[in-house]
Every structure is written in C-alpha cells, then in structure tokens.
Amino acid sequence: MRAPARIERLGPADAPAYRELMLRAYAESPEAFTATVEERAALSMDWWLQRLDDRPHADEFSLGAWQGERLVGAVTLERQTRPKHRHKALLLGMYVAPEARRAGLGRQLVDALMHRARASDGLKLVTLTLTEGNAPAEALYSAFGFARFGVEPLAIHQEGRYLSKVHMALVL
C-alpha cells in the first residue's frame, strides 16, 4: 500500500529532489516536455532554485506531491511578467512518477495549483500545452474547465518525428 501523499509548495530546500524528479520526467517522458534532459541537466542549481522561489508573491511557484520523504510529483505556475500580460499564467512541468500514478496525485496537484491561481491578485487566465494524443492529460485538464483553443503543428521534434502541441486555456 502506498503512503498517503501530501501536496506542498516547494522551496529552495527542495531543489535537489525537484531537480532529480524533473530530470527523470524529461528522460522518461521526452514527448511530454519541450525541454530535454540534457538541457536541464546542464543548468546550474541557481536555475532550479529560482523555479522554487518561496516568496509569497513570486511570479513562479511549484507544488510537489510527497510520499513520505520522497518527491513523486510536481507542477509549476509561471505568471507572465510584462505589464500587458500580468493577467496570464502558464501551467507547466506537470509530472507524476509512474510508481505513484493512479492515486489521484495529478488531480490533487492541479487542484492545489488552481486554488492558488484563483487567489492570485489580478490573475484571469491560465494556459497550458500538452502533446497531442495524450488523452489522459487532456481529460485531467478538461475536468478542471480547461478548453482547447488550438493545436500547434510541428511544435517539437522528438526522436526523428514532429509532435503537435494542444493549447488549452481556463478563464478564472
């Protein structure tokens, strides 16, 4: 039986576990991410720390799903910084380790992220992309009210083939 998970905002102290989890994500699910494991592995720890900024009003924050002392899932919300775009944010970096799937952790992570997004002053729109054909991911986001607004053809090149990205949005 799996240990119950807890969903928490990640902070600088979690950077090593977060980096390890996300490098695993890029390696195991390369078609799901626009970054490669090689690009992200080459980044300094400062980059990972920036993603885990724990200031109350940081423009970017990440949530993690923990089973005991092990980080098994994560998701990030990145708010746009330009003045005319401050009302928008991007949901990205969603990943749950295979051994922790089918326990509702993806749903819990998105639910917690959307709760925080709705509480963000002036935030009106959350967007995301997912690889076309990833029906479980699209169903998850649709359950929260995200709707397709387009498909970007040839969005990424992965192992000799081109994959399209579905763009989804949720007006808060």
Side-chain angles (χ1 to χ4, degrees):
M1 171 158 282
R2 294 182 206 168
R6 66 186 192 284
I7 307 297
E8 297 178 347
R9 183 172 179 174
L10 299 174
D14 303 313
Y18 177 67
R19 180 181 184 275
E20 179 181 334
L21 178 74
M22 294 312 297
L23 291 179
R24 179 180 177 193
Y26 304 133
E28 291 179 355
S29 302
E31 69 288 343
F33 299 96
T34 57
T36 67
V37 67
E38 294 82 11
E39 321 175 57
R40 291 295 198 236
L43 294 171
S44 72
M45 189 55 75
D46 286 343
W47 186 89
W48 297 94
L49 289 166
Q50 181 179 351
R51 179 152 282 183
L52 302 184
D53 184 347
D54 60 356
R55 292 175 298 151
H57 299 290
D59 288 327
E60 184 173 342
F61 67 86
S62 298
L63 300 178
W66 296 88
Q67 287 182 331
E69 296 303 312
R70 193 160 163 261
L71 183 63
V72 296
V75 66
T76 296
L77 188 74
E78 183 178 89
R79 190 165 185 168
Q80 300 296 310
T81 58
R82 295 177 63 198
K84 291 184 178 182
H85 292 207
R86 290 283 305 152
H87 64 287
K88 299 187 291 185
L90 178 64
L91 183 158
L92 56 91
M94 173 67 172
Y95 178 74
V96 175
E99 67 276 9
R101 292 180 188 162
R102 307 225 186 289
L105 293 182
R107 184 170 304 281
Q108 290 174 47
L109 282 164
V110 174
D111 185 53
L113 185 96
M114 295 312 301
H115 179 76
R116 287 176 178 265
R118 286 187 171 89
S120 295
D121 187 40
L123 190 58
K124 303 293 182 200
L125 180 73
V126 176
T127 63
L128 61 87
T129 66
L130 60 96
T131 303
E132 189 171 43
N134 187 344
E138 189 164 358
L140 171 66
Y141 298 126
S142 294
F144 282 92
F146 282 88
R148 277 183 177 224
F149 68 89
V151 176
E152 180 183 354
L154 307 174
I156 62 172
H157 184 252
Q158 172 64 38
E159 296 179 357
R161 62 191 175 118
Y162 291 93
L163 302 171
S164 298
K165 287 289 187 174
V166 173
H167 291 256
M168 300 184 83
L170 174 63
V171 176
L172 302 177

